[in-house]
Amino acid sequence: MKNMVLLAALAVAPVLHAQTQWKLATGYRAESFHTRNVVQFAQDVERASAGALRIEVHANNALFKLGDIPHAVQDGKAQAGETIMTSLVRDMPIAGADAVPFVVRTYADARRMWDLQRPLIEGHFARKGLKALYAVPWPPQGLFSIAPVRSAADFKGTRMRTYNPATVRIAEMLGAAPVDVPMVEVNTALSAGKLDSMITSALTGVENQVWGQIRQYYGINAWFPKNIVFVNQQAFDALPPPVREAVTKAAQTAEARGWAMSETIAEESVGELQRKGIKVERAPAELEAELKRLGERFSREWVQSVGNEANKIFIPYYFQR
């Protein structure tokens, strides 16, 4: 009888200890707050599932490059991934809503935008065999300048650092000459007198130690770009129901934690800029009004380029507060 019980226990043991392993690819450094949040998400899933699902996080483009991650997850080469939503706009134009300049101005606005955007993203993902888990914004984009700025007129004849079509248009619409400079070369360009201003986050300014030539930082909150974490739908569906629930709940926790981390890091970064001698101010009223008009123009153009689906975001965003 004892032998029969032992054999039965041995037969059940592999089932009890069966473990599913996922690979989650991200293009960001291990030190990034986004990556730290993803790692915590993976740990939460493993703990909540009692070890039934283990997620290995591969950071810093180690598994796939950032731009290749969505297709890798779609093809099942990795079970999960993280990317910046603006990288999805070629196949999914609606993903660019949160990066339309001068529309989203606060974290509360960014949350409203995501609440409107998410159902549409989920629909596109479902057609690609993907499932969205959560999204977290980067700190907002601010204005760095070597001299005080009061209105758009102060940009005329100056040079603004640009790095994509949107920033080129912003520079041109403000009357500045666009200068394409990689972030790692910004300090060299500033020292050589080739740059007068740039739009980027306070966090990026701190990470690249832009103090020196830069004297001013204006919290214009130009846009709040988001990262999104997602999984292969088939891989998710293959999990037992309790494990799927563990993943969903951990994702909800990760989203809340990530937004709080982003806001805290934004505040800390602005404080560090001040400690390094950069004058931190709100945008002057005249400049603020001009940027708001630019935002209205950018949003109209974006709606026209994306089509009717864009109205499902911007109409309620502007009119249902």
Side-chain angles (χ1 to χ4, degrees):
M1 179 63 71
K2 289 183 178 179
N3 288 339
M4 291 177 64
V5 172
L6 179 59
L7 288 172
L10 290 173
V12 174
V15 177
L16 293 177
H17 294 284
Q19 184 183 69
T20 299
Q21 295 207 20
W22 281 2
K23 292 181 180 179
L24 190 157
T26 179
Y28 297 95
R29 299 177 301 115
E31 298 81 10
S32 165
F33 82 93
H34 280 287
T35 305
R36 289 188 281 115
N37 193 34
V38 165
V39 169
Q40 184 63 59
F41 160 72
Q43 293 171 350
D44 290 348
V45 167
E46 185 169 3
R47 182 171 55 254
S49 69
L53 175 59
R54 183 172 185 271
I55 302 175
E56 296 177 355
V57 178
H58 297 261
N60 201 30
N61 295 308
L63 197 59
F64 299 101
K65 293 189 180 300
L66 185 67
D68 297 331
I69 290 173
H71 288 296
V73 176
Q74 188 176 346
D75 295 340
K77 296 175 182 176
Q79 290 75 31
E82 177 189 37
T83 193
I84 190 164
M85 284 179 58
T86 51
S87 72
L88 302 172
V89 295
R90 179 175 295 181
D91 297 329
M92 202 182 305
I94 207 72
D98 59 321
V100 179
F102 311 119
V103 172
V104 173
R105 309 307 297 274
T106 67
Y107 274 93
D109 287 347
R111 169 54 71 183
R112 286 197 306 115
M113 176 69 75
W114 175 229
D115 288 343
L116 294 166
Q117 194 180 17
R118 180 167 190 154
L120 303 176
I121 295 293
E122 289 177 335
H124 282 279
F125 268 12
R127 291 187 284 276
K128 295 176 179 295
L130 300 173
K131 177 180 175 61
L133 290 183
Y134 69 87
V136 170
W138 288 91
Q141 308 293 292
L143 172 65
F144 289 86
S145 177
I146 64 172
V149 174
R150 293 289 171 258
S151 71
D154 293 324
F155 290 97
K156 297 192 186 314
T158 67
R159 293 148 298 184
M160 178 179 284
R161 182 233 174 189
T162 58
Y163 56 89
N164 62 18
T167 52
V168 170
R169 288 208 64 216
I170 290 169
E172 292 173 344
M173 291 164 80
L174 290 173
V179 182
D180 187 358
V181 179
M183 195 65 218
V184 293
E185 298 177 13
V186 160
N187 282 327
T188 300
L190 286 167
S191 297
K194 297 179 180 179
L195 279 184
D196 301 297
S197 65
M198 62 180 177
I199 295 176
T200 192
S201 71
L203 173 61
T204 300
V206 170
E207 289 178 338
N208 290 273
Q209 301 181 10
V210 299
W211 37 85
Q213 301 297 321
I214 293 290
R215 299 298 183 189
Q216 305 279 150
Y217 175 81
Y218 298 96
I220 61 173
N221 292 0
W223 58 91
F224 288 71
K226 294 191 295 289
N227 278 11
I228 188 166
V229 175
F230 49 93
V231 296
N232 180 285
Q233 185 71 61
Q234 287 187 339
F236 181 81
D237 291 343
L239 298 172
V243 181
R244 291 202 298 268
E245 184 178 358
V247 172
T248 301
K249 287 186 175 180
Q252 293 170 348
T253 300
E255 181 160 293
R257 179 177 58 238
W259 283 69
M261 292 171 73
S262 178
E263 194 159 4
T264 296
I265 288 170
E267 292 173 359
E268 292 175 348
S269 298
V270 170
E272 181 65 10
L273 293 178
Q274 287 179 306
R275 285 189 289 275
K276 295 299 183 180
I278 293 178
K279 188 175 183 180
V280 173
E281 297 181 273
R282 291 187 60 179
E286 185 176 351
L287 178 61
E288 183 73 22
E290 290 167 333
L291 296 181
K292 183 179 179 181
R293 286 194 291 272
L294 286 184
E296 292 167 353
R297 179 174 173 179
F298 272 114
S299 60
R300 286 195 302 270
E301 292 175 353
W302 185 77
V303 168
Q304 290 171 352
S305 67
V306 173
N308 184 59
E309 193 174 30
N311 286 319
K312 295 179 182 179
I313 294 179
F314 276 2
I315 289 178
Y317 178 81
Y318 279 118
F319 297 107
Q320 297 177 9
R321 292 184 179 269

